[in-house]
Amino acid sequence: MIYWQLFLAFFWPGILGYGGGPASIPLIEHEVVDRYGWMTVNEFSEVLALGNSLPGPIATKMAGYIGYEQAGVLGAAIGVFASVAPSLVLLLALLGLLYKWKDAPQVKRLTAYIRPAIAVMLGIMAIDLFRESYEGAWLGQTAFLTAASAFLLLGKWRIHPAYVIVLALVYGAFFLS
């Protein structure tokens, strides 16, 4: 019964809490504190503070913690799944519609409009990352050595991108610290 309660406690806020974490926190509080009595308001506020201090979505971290406190590892898994299930179901439904209408001219036009926006956002992110890395290292190291090494490893020697990323992380950890 506890597993079903955990599922419902995080599934309903996921459906009703439009806008993600901040919008669903009062709904989660109602379920966890008022309806099921798993925590006091003070304990919930501590869990909320812990969730805010870690990177990532607040609701999933709170669901994992509260689920673990109530029912162990399986409870944590159920809580996290319940918090992402509404978005997952909606995403799969929309993906099904998109796949069904993929040859429609409106969908092709939509994807044609979205691609440049994504390219611009990725470009802005790359420029920001370049600026941040440039502040910590000299230009030759940032622009030439890293870019040239990545180009050779990926383009000429056809090394898998995951290995190139790991090599860059190791290089940064040992030589830029």
Side-chain angles (χ1 to χ4, degrees):
M1 188 69 174
I2 186 71
Y3 298 121
W4 180 246
Q5 290 174 341
L6 277 169
F7 181 82
L8 290 177
F10 292 102
F11 184 75
W12 288 118
I15 289 176
L16 301 173
Y18 180 77
S24 63
I25 288 171
L27 300 170
I28 294 172
E29 180 185 17
H30 172 73
E31 296 290 322
V32 171
V33 175
D34 298 333
R35 177 170 290 175
Y36 296 109
W38 292 328
M39 295 182 158
T40 64
V41 174
N42 190 32
E43 291 170 331
F44 185 82
S45 66
E46 290 176 3
V47 171
L48 177 60
L50 179 67
N52 275 325
S53 67
L54 297 171
I58 300 167
T60 54
K61 292 178 284 192
M62 292 177 67
Y65 180 83
I66 294 168
Y68 183 79
E69 285 290 314
Q70 296 304 310
V73 174
L74 183 57
I78 289 171
V80 170
F81 174 73
S83 69
V84 299
S87 299
L88 180 66
V89 169
L90 184 61
L91 179 69
L92 290 174
L94 290 174
L95 191 59
L97 280 174
L98 184 64
Y99 186 72
K100 179 181 176 184
W101 297 98
K102 69 179 178 181
D103 294 325
Q106 296 89 351
V107 173
K108 288 186 178 188
R109 214 172 22 250
L110 176 70
T111 55
Y113 291 148
I114 290 174
R115 282 186 183 149
I118 292 172
V120 168
M121 289 189 299
L122 287 173
I124 291 170
M125 183 184 71
I127 290 168
D128 288 344
L129 290 174
F130 179 78
R131 278 193 200 127
E132 298 241 349
S133 64
Y134 177 71
E135 291 173 5
W138 53 283
L139 181 61
Q141 189 176 34
T142 300
F144 179 72
L145 185 63
T146 307
S149 300
F151 177 76
L152 289 174
L153 291 170
L154 292 169
K156 185 171 182 177
W157 296 314
R158 305 269 187 226
I159 294 180
H160 194 276
Y163 296 127
V164 175
I165 292 170
V166 169
L167 285 172
L169 289 172
V170 169
Y171 174 76
F174 287 114
F175 297 108
L176 299 178
S177 310

